[in-house]
Amino acid sequence: MNLSVVDLSPVPRGGTATDAYANTVEIARQAERLGYSRVWVAEHHGVPQALAGTTPEVLLGHLAAETESIRLGSGAVLLNHYSPFKVAELFGALDGLAPGRIDAGLGRANGSPAVDSALGTERHVENPDEDHREKVEAVVSHLFDDYPEGHAYADLSIPRSGAEPPVPWALGSSTSSARIAGELGLRYCFAAFIRPQFAEYAFEDYRDAFRSSPRPASPGGVDDPQGMVAVNAVCAETDEKAARLRAVSEASYERMRRGEVGPAPSVEEAIDELGDVPDPTPATLDEDEWPRAISGSPETLSRILEQLADRVGVDEVMIQHVVPDHEDALRSHELLAEGVGLASR
């Protein structure tokens, strides 16, 4: 099984965006060293006290200079806010900075009404799925100069390295995003840490809708379905210690449901808010069980990840977690790499 990381650039308590970005750089360097396949960074708006990851294209440019071989990408660029041509240009420029190492992760999400208004985003479109599909297809067409002769954009081009072009991925947490990925013949990543109950249905729809890409000679498309599942997972030396760390994810989710926005609680605060330490994640999940967050020792967690990956038929898992202490976050990635058996460099 292959492992990857998505980092949200959380702002440490008492820290700033500068501290958050420095931590993201360290996570990317460590992931490269440990043998992770890729590092993605996210896009969230309007929560600067909690998350500094607002502009993945800027942060990826910095990570390109700070790493040598690991793939770098967006998890995701929120395409509903932007022009497809501009997004393609951004990824073309990133490819120029890190030739052959860029993933163009394309997703969508609405923020608060104020955020969407400030970004110039139309909150209500007649057919959101059709609009998103058209935008994803447009980005891919720009990335690969794939507009037919006579099209208004046929003569437009973007900067590129001359190496392997950016690889587009469709991202989402719904069956509609899965169908779009399948219809366009793209790689698909499902965010199971958002809607775990839809993971298996989404991959079923992805495979049912899949059409072989018209770009078989390029990395833009694939001949067969290729997917990855993103899960919230934290690793520690023992199942019990990992469960304590997982308390932060559990409490953060409850805060989000109450509409509270801010930095993640400490482990102690999270346990106090939950009323107790969460039970360790069992080493074997029931067939219909897919927790929003999982935890465990390297041995336990590697078994659970294999089980979840098998359920949706993928061989790569992307790790997301909410761990307030940066050293704990690094240690989690290190232990998980050992448990899965990644080849460190």
Side-chain angles (χ1 to χ4, degrees), residues 159-318:
R160 57 185 76 246
S161 68
E164 177 186 285
V167 174
W169 287 74
L171 278 59
S173 58
S174 68
T175 55
S176 60
S177 64
R179 288 191 294 272
I180 290 169
E183 289 167 0
L184 296 178
L186 298 176
R187 294 161 176 83
Y188 178 59
C189 179
F190 181 82
F193 56 87
I194 297 177
R195 292 191 180 100
Q197 68 273 25
F198 293 129
E200 294 179 60
Y201 299 114
F203 278 100
E204 287 175 6
D205 281 8
Y206 171 56
R207 293 185 174 91
D208 287 344
F210 190 85
R211 302 172 189 167
S212 181
S213 171
R215 308 173 182 85
S218 80
V222 286
D223 291 330
D224 300 297
Q226 290 188 24
M228 174 168 58
V229 63
V231 302
N232 182 298
V234 62
C235 195
E237 288 80 359
T238 67
D239 291 347
E240 291 73 22
K241 184 175 180 180
R244 287 182 61 84
L245 295 178
R246 196 182 86 242
V248 179
S249 287
E250 306 282 4
S252 295
Y253 177 67
E254 293 302 321
R255 286 186 176 189
M256 182 185 69
R257 292 182 61 187
R258 296 193 298 266
E260 298 176 17
V261 177
S266 67
V267 173
E268 291 73 20
E269 288 170 338
I271 293 170
D272 183 62
E273 290 178 19
L274 295 173
D276 204 349
V277 178
D279 291 333
T281 306
T284 301
L285 300 174
D286 293 338
E287 288 187 5
D288 60 349
E289 185 180 11
W290 194 311
R292 186 177 302 278
I294 59 177
S295 62
S297 66
E299 298 77 14
T300 296
L301 204 49
S302 63
R303 286 196 298 268
I304 297 172
L305 293 179
E306 287 281 4
Q307 181 181 357
L308 297 178
D310 286 346
R311 282 190 195 175
V312 294
V314 301
D315 59 9
E316 184 170 349
V317 176
M318 178 162 274

Side-chain angles (χ1 to χ4, degrees), residues 36-40 69-73 100-103 164-167 169:
Y36 282 76
S37 298
R38 64 193 86 237
V39 171
W40 286 0
S69 58
I70 196 167
R71 294 198 67 85
L72 304 170
R101 293 203 284 138
I102 298 299
D103 294 327
E164 177 186 285
V167 174
W169 287 74

Side-chain angles (χ1 to χ4, degrees), residues 58-80:
V58 175
L59 189 51
L60 289 171
H62 185 54
L63 294 180
E66 296 288 342
T67 58
E68 296 180 355
S69 58
I70 196 167
R71 294 198 67 85
L72 304 170
S74 52
V77 161
L78 302 181
L79 195 49
N80 54 310

Side-chain angles (χ1 to χ4, degrees), residues 19-230:
D19 304 304
Y21 299 144
N23 288 344
T24 297
V25 169
E26 190 171 8
I27 283 171
R29 287 173 171 167
Q30 182 205 46
E32 182 172 69
R33 220 169 38 245
L34 293 175
Y36 282 76
S37 298
R38 64 193 86 237
V39 171
W40 286 0
V41 294
E43 177 179 345
H44 293 89
H45 299 285
V47 285
Q49 69 274 44
L51 300 174
T54 59
T55 50
E57 64 275 15
V58 175
L59 189 51
L60 289 171
H62 185 54
L63 294 180
E66 296 288 342
T67 58
E68 296 180 355
S69 58
I70 196 167
R71 294 198 67 85
L72 304 170
S74 52
V77 161
L78 302 181
L79 195 49
N80 54 310
H81 296 315
Y82 310 115
S83 147
F85 179 58
K86 181 60 177 177
V87 170
E89 284 190 316
L90 291 172
F91 282 104
L94 289 168
D95 172 57
L97 294 170
R101 293 203 284 138
I102 298 299
D103 294 327
L106 307 173
R108 58 178 167 174
N110 285 115
S112 68
V115 164
D116 286 353
S117 176
L119 288 168
T121 301
E122 175 62 54
R123 286 184 66 87
H124 303 290
V125 295
E126 187 172 338
N127 190 328
D129 288 347
E130 182 178 347
D131 179 69
H132 186 59
R133 186 190 192 282
E134 290 175 355
K135 285 192 169 186
V136 171
E137 189 170 25
V139 171
V140 175
S141 295
H142 284 304
L143 284 174
F144 297 97
D145 293 332
D146 202 35
Y147 282 104
E149 186 176 350
H151 191 282
Y153 301 152
D155 293 332
L156 291 178
S157 60
I158 63 170
R160 57 185 76 246
S161 68
E164 177 186 285
V167 174
W169 287 74
L171 278 59
S173 58
S174 68
T175 55
S176 60
S177 64
R179 288 191 294 272
I180 290 169
E183 289 167 0
L184 296 178
L186 298 176
R187 294 161 176 83
Y188 178 59
C189 179
F190 181 82
F193 56 87
I194 297 177
R195 292 191 180 100
Q197 68 273 25
F198 293 129
E200 294 179 60
Y201 299 114
F203 278 100
E204 287 175 6
D205 281 8
Y206 171 56
R207 293 185 174 91
D208 287 344
F210 190 85
R211 302 172 189 167
S212 181
S213 171
R215 308 173 182 85
S218 80
V222 286
D223 291 330
D224 300 297
Q226 290 188 24
M228 174 168 58
V229 63

